[in-house]
Amino acid sequence: AQSRKILTLVLIRESSRVLLGMKKRGFGKGNWNGFGGKVKVGEETIEDGAKRELLEECGLVAPCLDKIGELDFEFLGNPEIMEVHVFKTDSFEGIPAESEEMHPRWFSIERIPYHQMWPDDKYWFPLFLKGSCFKGHFLFEGFNKIISHSLKEVETF
Ligand code: 6U4
Ligand code: NA
Ligand code: NA
């Protein structure tokens, strides 16, 4: 049987730029990525977990997050599916600050560093940038190679 692990991913968008964090430790170290992580026991909603991770990892407070995506990641030889809930917002308080886990930096939407991101990001990030919602599934061999994937736009969540 396949178990699922729920994770969050938060993208901060201003008109022509996106805030990403360089992951300094753990899963995905060395990649630019959104902010997020595991949902903790006691958190009422997945969105609450996402807001906490955003604050912990880059010091920003977001009163409200919009859910825009659900991405399933499977790794050959590992029965656990990672179910990543993707959120975005353009409204937040605070100034991005470095944490133990992330080094934040703004990127122009013309210069998203796909070559230093998870390999799936090149597929779905453009949907985020154009304002769409999406669902996807990616099967990895190791952490760098995608063997198969599916991705579709959805109306809403
Ligand atoms: P610790 O180190 O225990 O505090 P935590 O912050 O709870 O960890 P973490 O950072 O391991 O969790 O969570 C993984 C993060 O990486 C989540 O934000 C989801 C994101 N992520 C995982 N696979 C991804 C992928 N293939 N593409 C992507 N983001 C991914 O863009
Ligand atoms: Na994290
Ligand atoms: Na974290």
Side-chain angles (χ1 to χ4, degrees):
Q2 289 185 311
S3 64
R4 302 178 80 84
K5 179 168 162 186
I6 295 183
L7 295 165
T8 60
L9 188 63
V10 181
L11 299 163
I12 302 286
R13 167 85 189 257
E14 283 189 330
S15 51
S16 64
R17 59 184 194 165
V18 173
L19 186 70
L20 297 174
M22 168 53 68
K23 193 91 156 39
K24 294 160 63 178
R25 67 171 194 209
F27 195 70
K29 181 179 174 181
N31 285 338
W32 292 103
N33 205 358
F35 305 93
K38 300 162 198 84
V39 178
K40 285 192 176 166
V41 174
E43 284 176 329
E44 289 219 344
T45 63
I46 295 172
E47 184 183 341
D48 285 345
K51 288 178 184 174
R52 174 189 45 76
E53 291 280 351
L54 179 69
L55 178 61
E56 283 178 8
E57 294 184 358
C58 74
L60 297 185
V61 173
C64 179
L65 298 174
D66 299 327
K67 176 142 178 212
I68 58 164
E70 268 181 32
L71 299 172
D72 285 351
F73 299 108
E74 232 184 306
F75 298 88
L76 267 191
N78 184 342
E80 187 174 67
I81 295 177
M82 293 178 48
E83 179 182 307
V84 178
H85 293 238
V86 188
F87 299 87
K88 75 169 177 188
T89 188
D90 59 6
S91 134
F92 57 88
E93 294 147 28
I95 295 167
E98 185 164 1
S99 62
E100 277 180 24
E101 185 170 339
M102 288 285 213
H103 175 75
R105 191 179 129 188
W106 291 104
F107 289 88
S108 157
I109 58 174
E110 315 289 300
R111 290 188 210 86
I112 301 299
Y114 290 114
H115 58 288
Q116 282 181 81
M117 295 166 75
W118 278 100
D120 48 279
D121 292 20
K122 67 172 75 68
Y123 296 101
W124 59 264
F125 223 79
L127 300 180
F128 151 61
L129 291 174
K130 73 171 188 177
S132 296
C133 295
F134 49 86
K135 278 189 182 179
H137 177 270
F138 295 85
L139 175 62
F140 277 79
E141 181 180 285
F143 295 117
N144 299 318
K145 187 177 172 194
I146 294 169
I147 299 179
S148 66
H149 81 280
S150 63
L151 181 65
K152 66 175 183 191
E153 294 185 48
V154 297
E155 280 297 311
T156 185
F157 280 100

